[in-house]
Amino acid sequence: MVKRSYNQTPIKAQDPEVRSHNFNEVVLGYSLDEGRLEASRCLQCKNHPCMLHCPVMIDIPGFIKKIEDGDMDGARKIIAKYSNLGAICGRVCPQEKQCEMACTLGRSKKFEPVAIGKLERLVSDWDLDNPEPVKVIPHDKGRVAVVGSGPSGLTVAGDLAVKGYEVTVFEALSTPGGVLIYGIPEFRLPKATVKKEIDRIRDLGVKIETDVVIGKTITMSELVDDFDACYVGVGAGAPHFMSIPGTNLMGVYSSSEYLTRINLMHSYKFPTYDTPIEPAKQVVVIGGGNVAMDSARSAMRLGAENVSVIYRRSLEELPARIEEYHHSVEEGIQYHWLTNPVAYLGDENGQLTGVKCIKMELGEPDESGRRRPVPIAGSEFIIPATTAIEAIGQGANRVMLDTYPDLKTNKWGYVDANEETCATSVPGVFAGGDIVTGAATVILAMGAGKIAAKEIDEYITNKTAKKTSHSA
Amino acid sequence: MFKVTAYERLTTNEYQLWIDAPRIAARAKPGQFVIIRMDETGERIPLTICETNPKDGQIRIIFQVIGKSTAELAEFKTGSELLDVVGPLGTPTAIKNYGTVLLVGGGVGIAALYPTVKGLKQAGNRVITVLGAKSKDILILRDECAKYSDELILMTDDGSIGRKGLVTEAMEDVFNREQIDQAWAVGPGIMMRFCTQVATKHDVPVYVSLNPIMIDGTGMCGCCRVTVDNHIRFACVDGPEFLGAGVDWDSFMQRMRQYRVQEKQAFEQYEQLRQVQ
Ligand SMILES: Cc1cc2nc3c(=O)[nH]c(=O)nc-3n(C[C@H](O)[C@H](O)[C@H](O)COP(=O)(O)OP(=O)(O)OC[C@H]3O[C@@H](n4cnc5c(N)ncnc54)[C@H](O)[C@@H]3O)c2cc1C
Ligand SMILES: Cc1cc2nc3c(=O)[nH]c(=O)nc-3n(C[C@H](O)[C@H](O)[C@H](O)COP(=O)(O)OP(=O)(O)OC[C@H]3O[C@@H](n4cnc5c(N)ncnc54)[C@H](O)[C@@H]3O)c2cc1C
Ligand code: SF4
Ligand code: FES
C-alpha cells in the first residue's frame, strides 16, 4: 500500500485573478483518477464517524470504497439510497462542520480529512453524465401537493414519486429550485447542474407547476381538500433590514434582492437580460454567513473596485463555510472584523456614498454562548461605498402562512412542526426545511424532506387502509 | 405559457390586453396585480389586474409604454404567448360600505383605480370619481368609470374635456361641498402625494397605491420596500395600498429613479434594433 499523503489530493480551481471577473464555477472537480487517489486515503473506519456526522447518514466509507475500486456505478447506487441531490450537496454542504470534521484521518496529527464532499460531487456529476434509465412506476397510491421547490420540496417529491405517488410541486417563482436557483451563485453551484438534478426529479413523473403562489393563485385549503397530503417547504428567504438611517437610499440592497437580481434574473448579463443592477464600485457587505460571502464575491465579479465585508464579531465566529471565506480572501475581498454599521450616508440625489460604522469589542457571553459584541464609544468611522448589501439573516416566507392561519407557527414565525415526523397542527399537512428550522442548510432541508416522504407515505397508507376497512 | 386573447391600442401610448389565466381570473380582487415576464431574458413587470372574466378565465390589463419592457409588451398581439404571468399578488383593497367615497385617478393609474370604483359601487357606496389626464384623447376608461360612479368629474390639463385643471382642484371642491368618508388616489407619485396633502388637510383618510420597482412580488427580496409610519413595509405583500398620510414620499419617489441610466440604455438599444428590423 502506498503511503497516505498528509494532504488532500489537490483539486483544480480557476485562478483567483481570472475567476474574480467571471461567474463560472470556481472549483472544477476531480478527474476519476484524482478521485481514486483521494479515495485511497480513506481508512474505511469500522465506526465510521463521518457517517454519524452526516445529517442524512450517507454510507460514506461505502461509496468511497467503490470509487477506489473504480466502480462508479456502485458508488452512485450507494449515494442514491440517501440523497437525491448529491451534485448539489457535494458542492455546498458545510463538510468541515459535518463529515470531514469527524473524519478519523483528519483528526490524526498532520493529516487533512478525506475530501468527502469533493468525492460525493465526483460521483454525482458522473451520475448526471451517465444517467440510468428511469423506471417510471404507476402513480396510484395517492396524490400529494408540495408547496415550494427548494431542496426540501424537491426531495419529498422525488421520494414520493418513487414510492408510487402522483406529486405536484407548486412554485411561486418562474424557475424551480428555491435558493439553489435564486440565492447561491453560479460560481459555486452552476445552474445547469441544478437543472439536471431537477430534470431527473421530473423524469420520475413529478409535475412542477411554476408561477403558482399558494395562498394567492390557489389557497392552501384548496390543496388540503384536493390532495391526500401536502408538504410545506416554502423556505425562509424574507430579508430582514437593520432599519438604520438611510436604508432607502439608492445603492442599499438586501442580499436577497442583490442575489436574486444576479442569479434568477441574470442582471450580470444586462442588457441582454432586461433586469438591471447598479454598477458595483465601492461595495460594503454587512454580515458573516454564506449569504454575505456570496454577495461580496458576486459584487467582485460585477467589476467592483473594492469589496469589504463588515462583521460584528471576529473570524473565529464567522458562520460562513471556511472554504468560501478562503476563496473570498484570494479574490481580494477585505474584512473589517468587530465592526457594525450605524447609518448609511447619501448625497442630495439619494445615492449612497458611505457607510458609517462603529468598532465593537467582545463582551460577556450571550444565550448562544458566543461573546456578545458591544460598541466602543467614539470609535465611529466611515467606509466610502456606492453599494451596501445587508446580509444579516432572513425570516419566514409569509405569503402562504398569512393566508392559512390553521397552520400553527412558533414565536419566531416558523411553522410549528415535529422535527421527527414533520407533522404540523393540521392533519395531512407536513412541513420541513428552512420554514421550520429558520435559515439552515441544504442538507438539513433535504433530510427533512426524506423524513416527510416516509411519514406521508405512512399517513396516506393508513388513511387508505382505514377507508377500505370501513367500506368492507 | 399564457395566451393573449385580445389586444387593443387604447391611446397613442396605452394598450390593453386580455390574457388567458383562469386561476388568476378566478381569484383576483380589486387592488391586486400580476407580474409578467414576457420571455426568458425579460424582466418581471408588475401590472394591475383591471378586470376579470372568471367564466372565460380571462384577465384584463392596461399599460402605458414608458420603457423597454412595456414597449415590448405592446408587441404581444392577439394569439401570442407570455412566458410567465403570476398572481393575483398584493393585498386587495378593503372593499366595504364606507358611505360616500371619493376616488381619484390620474393617467394610466385610472386602469388600476377602475376595479376599486366598481367594487366600491357594488358594495353600496355613493361613489364620486375624479379622473385626470393631459387631454381628452388619452383619458381612458371614461365610460366604464361613469357606469359605476354616482358622479364623475373629468379634469384635463388642456381643458379638451371636463374642466381644465388638476385633480386636486376637483378634490378641494368636493371636500368643501360634502362629507367624504374615505378617499383613494391612484396615479403618478407626485399626484398621489398632492392628493394626500389635500385629503389630509380636510381630515379625510386617503389610500394610495404605491408602485415601486419590484422583482419577485412575494415578499422575498425587499426591493419594493417603502417607509410607512416610520416602518419598512413591502409594497408587494403589505400593499400596494397604504394610507397616504404615513408614506415617506421623498424616499419612495427617489427609489423609482434608481435604474434611470440603465433603463434609458435598454430602451434606446431596443428602439434602434426595432428600426433596423
Ligand atoms: C445566498 C445563500 C447561500 C447559501 N449557501 C449555502 C451553502 O453553501 N450550503 C448550504 O448547505 N446552505 C446554504 N444556504 C442555505 C440553503 O440554501 C437553505 O437552507 C435551503 O435552500 C433551504 O431549502 P428549503 O427547501 O427549505 O427552502 P428554499 O430553498 O428557500 O425554497 C423554498 C421555495 O418555496 C417557494 N415558495 C415560497 N412561498 C411559496 C408559496 N406561497 N407558494 C409557492 N412557492 C412558494 C420559494 O419561491 C422557494 O423557491 C444558502 C442560502 C442562501 C440564501
Ligand atoms: C403594483 C404595481 C402595479 C402597476 N400597475 C400598472 C398598470 O396597471 N399599468 C401600467 O402601465 N403600469 C403599472 N405599473 C408600473 C409598471 O410596472 C412599470 O411601468 C413597468 O415596469 C415599466 O417597465 P419598462 O421597462 O417599460 O420601463 P423602464 O424603463 O424599465 O422603467 C420606467 C419606470 O418604471 C418603473 N419600473 C421599472 N421597472 C419596474 C419594475 N420591475 N417594477 C415596477 N416598476 C418598475 C421605474 O420607476 C422606472 O423608472 C405598476 C407597478 C406596480 C408596482
Ligand atoms: S472517518 Fe474519514 S477515514 Fe474514516 S471512513 Fe470516514 S472518511 Fe474514511
Ligand atoms: S418585490 Fe420582492 S419583496 Fe416585494
Side-chain angles (χ1 to χ4, degrees):
Chain A
M1 175 123 205
V2 279
K3 196 165 161 284
R4 270 185 187 77
S5 78
Y6 290 132
N7 296 324
Q8 294 182 348
T9 310
I11 194 155
K12 287 183 289 295
Q14 275 199 73
D15 184 74
E17 275 293 315
V18 178
R19 73 178 190 234
S20 57
H21 301 291
N22 70 49
F23 275 86
N24 301 336
E25 191 167 20
V26 169
V27 180
L28 301 172
Y30 282 144
S31 66
L32 288 180
D33 285 340
E34 288 162 343
R36 288 180 73 172
L37 184 65
E38 180 61 19
S40 71
R41 294 178 66 236
C42 175
L43 304 167
Q44 292 295 320
C45 311
K46 285 271 168 305
N47 60 344
H48 43 63
C50 50
M51 211 173 137
L52 302 177
H53 282 78
C54 170
V56 297
M57 299 261 273
I58 296 181
D59 176 5
I60 293 167
F63 86 76
I64 292 183
K65 185 80 184 75
K66 295 286 182 197
I67 301 177
E68 193 185 354
D69 296 346
D71 177 8
M72 293 304 280
D73 185 53
R76 83 149 137 221
K77 290 209 162 86
I78 293 178
I79 293 183
K81 272 195 243 163
Y82 305 88
S83 168
N84 321 37
L85 305 169
I88 293 164
C89 293
R91 286 174 168 83
V92 304
C93 273
Q95 290 99 3
E96 77 278 3
K97 292 179 187 156
Q98 300 175 172
C99 53
E100 292 182 22
M101 180 189 79
C103 174
T104 314
L105 187 67
R107 303 189 69 119
S108 29
K109 242 191 188 150
K110 295 198 210 158
F111 282 91
E112 284 179 354
V114 176
I116 302 172
K118 298 191 170 79
L119 290 174
E120 178 185 22
R121 167 182 168 174
L122 171 69
V123 175
S124 301
D125 281 357
W126 182 89
D127 179 33
L128 288 175
D129 293 337
N130 301 275
E132 280 189 296
V134 275
K135 294 176 280 197
V136 180
I137 60 159
H139 294 136
D140 52 9
K141 287 177 70 180
R143 298 173 66 241
V144 179
V146 173
V147 187
S149 66
S152 198
L154 289 172
T155 303
V156 175
D159 278 16
L160 285 173
V162 170
K163 287 186 207 286
Y165 289 89
E166 183 190 324
V167 186
T168 310
V169 179
F170 297 99
E171 169 55 50
L173 294 174
S174 53
T175 320
V179 172
L180 308 177
I181 283 291
Y182 79 77
I184 306 181
E186 179 75 21
F187 57 84
R188 280 212 292 133
L189 182 62
K191 301 306 150 222
T193 304
V194 179
K195 196 174 165 296
K196 276 192 219 164
E197 297 258 32
I198 292 174
D199 283 346
R200 234 181 16 183
I201 289 168
R202 277 206 176 99
D203 289 344
L204 295 170
V206 170
K207 197 154 120 206
I208 303 181
E209 290 201 34
T210 52
D211 293 330
V212 179
V213 186
I214 300 303
K216 295 284 180 187
T217 318
I218 305 179
T219 63
M220 193 64 204
S221 333
E222 282 174 295
L223 291 189
V224 171
D225 291 343
D226 285 358
F227 290 83
D228 297 307
C230 299
Y231 182 76
V232 173
V234 295
H240 291 316
F241 285 94
M242 286 180 297
S243 296
I244 58 177
T247 302
N248 285 344
L249 288 168
M250 293 182 279
V252 178
Y253 288 88
S254 75
S255 54
S256 310
E257 178 185 350
Y258 203 72
L259 293 170
T260 301
R261 281 184 183 271
I262 295 174
N263 297 315
L264 183 70
M265 304 311 294
H266 299 91
S267 62
Y268 63 98
K269 295 184 198 152
F270 179 87
T272 306
Y273 282 76
D274 290 337
T275 306
I277 192 157
E278 283 193 15
K281 291 182 204 126
Q282 298 159 312
V283 182
V284 167
V285 178
I286 299 138
N290 286 320
V291 186
M293 302 294 112
D294 284 344
S295 305
R297 297 174 70 199
S298 297
M300 204 63 169
R301 283 158 173 77
L302 288 177
E305 289 155 23
N306 58 64
V307 180
S308 28
V309 172
I310 60 184
Y311 181 50
R312 63 200 181 109
R313 302 180 199 252
S314 56
L315 176 59
E316 289 87 81
E317 290 92 10
L318 196 75
R321 290 187 60 203
I322 202 72
E323 180 184 14
E324 306 308 335
Y325 166 71
H326 288 310
H327 281 150
S328 74
V329 172
E330 285 169 15
E331 289 165 14
I333 287 157
Q334 287 154 1
Y335 284 79
H336 293 273
W337 306 114
L338 291 162
T339 303
N340 220 16
V342 289
Y344 298 114
L345 312 173
D347 63 17
E348 63 288 352
N349 300 318
Q351 175 65 46
L352 179 77
T353 55
V355 183
K356 187 173 175 189
C357 301
I358 192 161
K359 290 302 270 177
M360 312 288 281
E361 61 191 346
L362 293 178
E364 296 300 309
D366 60 16
E367 317 84 61
S368 72
R370 296 190 300 181
R371 291 174 63 196
R372 189 197 301 273
V374 283
I376 304 173
S379 67
E380 288 91 347
F381 67 104
I382 291 168
I383 307 178
T386 56
T387 301
I389 306 164
E390 286 194 13
I392 55 156
Q394 295 98 249
N397 289 343
R398 300 217 48 89
V399 181
M400 189 276 282
L401 300 182
D402 286 345
T403 54
Y404 191 59
D406 296 9
L407 196 63
K408 293 246 155 42
T409 52
N410 60 26
K411 63 175 174 183
W412 299 283
Y414 298 117
V415 173
D416 202 353
N418 180 331
E419 291 203 16
E420 267 145 47
T421 63
C422 297
T424 68
S425 57
V426 182
V429 175
F430 297 76
D434 280 6
I435 192 56
V436 170
T437 55
T441 59
V442 172
I443 191 68
L444 287 171
M446 203 188 85
K450 288 256 155 214
I451 296 173
K454 204 172 121 280
E455 294 289 328
I456 291 173
D457 181 28
E458 257 172 50
Y459 170 81
I460 296 181
T461 310
N462 288 342
K463 209 164 78 167
T464 320
K466 257 191 218 148
K467 258 197 224 145
T468 10
S469 69
H470 271 295
S471 56
Chain B
M1 289 294 208
F2 298 80
K3 202 180 214 111
V4 175
T5 53
Y7 172 100
E8 195 181 331
R9 185 173 187 169
L10 299 179
T11 70
T12 10
N13 217 17
E14 286 158 309
Y15 297 77
Q16 163 179 308
L17 304 181
W18 280 92
I19 303 166
D20 195 29
R23 281 172 173 163
I24 303 175
R27 183 138 285 131
K29 298 217 170 64
Q32 290 190 295
F33 62 96
V34 287
I35 285 188
I36 294 182
R37 191 175 67 133
M38 284 164 272
D39 51 34
E40 201 46 53
T41 56
E43 66 180 331
R44 297 169 65 93
I45 60 168
L47 295 168
T48 307
I49 303 163
C50 175
E51 194 170 6
T52 59
N53 181 344
K55 205 166 88 286
D56 298 340
Q58 311 281 304
I59 62 166
R60 177 192 189 188
I61 56 162
I62 293 178
F63 62 95
Q64 181 183 16
V65 171
I66 52 161
K68 188 201 164 191
S69 297
T70 43
E72 223 178 332
L73 189 58
E75 299 290 318
F76 278 69
K77 306 274 165 69
T78 308
S80 50
E81 290 188 324
L82 300 159
L83 184 57
D84 299 295
V85 178
V86 59
L89 301 170
T91 304
T93 305
I95 299 280
K96 61 178 186 194
N97 193 342
Y98 294 87
T100 302
V101 292
L102 174 63
L103 291 101
V104 185
V108 74
I110 296 171
L113 185 75
Y114 170 61
T116 306
V117 173
K118 189 172 165 183
L120 287 168
K121 180 67 200 165
Q122 287 170 344
N125 291 279
R126 194 170 100 78
V127 176
I128 305 170
T129 305
V130 177
L131 303 182
K134 283 211 180 70
S135 69
K136 181 183 173 188
D137 43 302
I138 58 167
L139 188 68
I140 54 169
L141 296 173
R142 214 164 66 213
D143 297 340
E144 281 156 294
C145 287
K147 197 171 148 197
Y148 295 101
S149 304
D150 294 276
E151 184 182 351
L152 181 70
I153 304 168
L154 304 178
M155 302 294 293
T156 48
D157 292 1
D158 61 3
S160 50
I161 191 168
R163 262 171 65 193
K164 187 174 153 120
L166 301 170
V167 289
T168 41
E169 295 165 28
M171 284 177 82
E172 283 280 5
D173 291 350
V174 174
F175 287 141
N176 287 331
R177 169 185 96 188
E178 64 182 294
Q179 166 70 33
I180 299 294
D181 299 300
Q182 177 69 46
W184 273 261
V186 185
I190 189 77
M191 180 203 106
M192 294 191 283
R193 183 178 196 161
F194 282 116
C195 290
T196 300
Q197 277 175 10
V198 173
T200 309
K201 194 175 89 190
H202 292 273
D203 280 331
V204 177
V206 58
Y207 280 113
V208 295
S209 180
L210 300 185
N211 51 349
I213 297 176
M214 293 185 176
I215 308 179
D216 61 303
T218 66
M220 224 167 58
C221 74
C223 164
C224 65
R225 66 186 182 273
V226 291
T227 300
V228 182
D229 297 327
N230 295 318
H231 286 288
I232 291 180
R233 310 291 300 276
F234 293 176
C236 70
V237 285
D238 302 322
E241 277 181 19
F242 295 98
L243 283 170
V247 173
D248 173 358
W249 291 99
D250 282 335
S251 77
F252 167 69
M253 285 164 64
Q254 226 163 40
R255 286 180 62 77
M256 298 278 281
R257 295 194 290 269
Q258 188 167 10
Y259 297 101
R260 272 280 158 86
V261 179
Q262 290 97 325
E263 285 156 359
K264 192 158 163 270
Q265 181 198 349
F267 199 21
E268 283 171 2
Q269 200 170 318
Y270 177 74
E271 299 268 78
Q272 272 168 13
L273 239 134
R274 217 163 42 164
Q275 269 158 23
V276 175
Q277 288 165 353

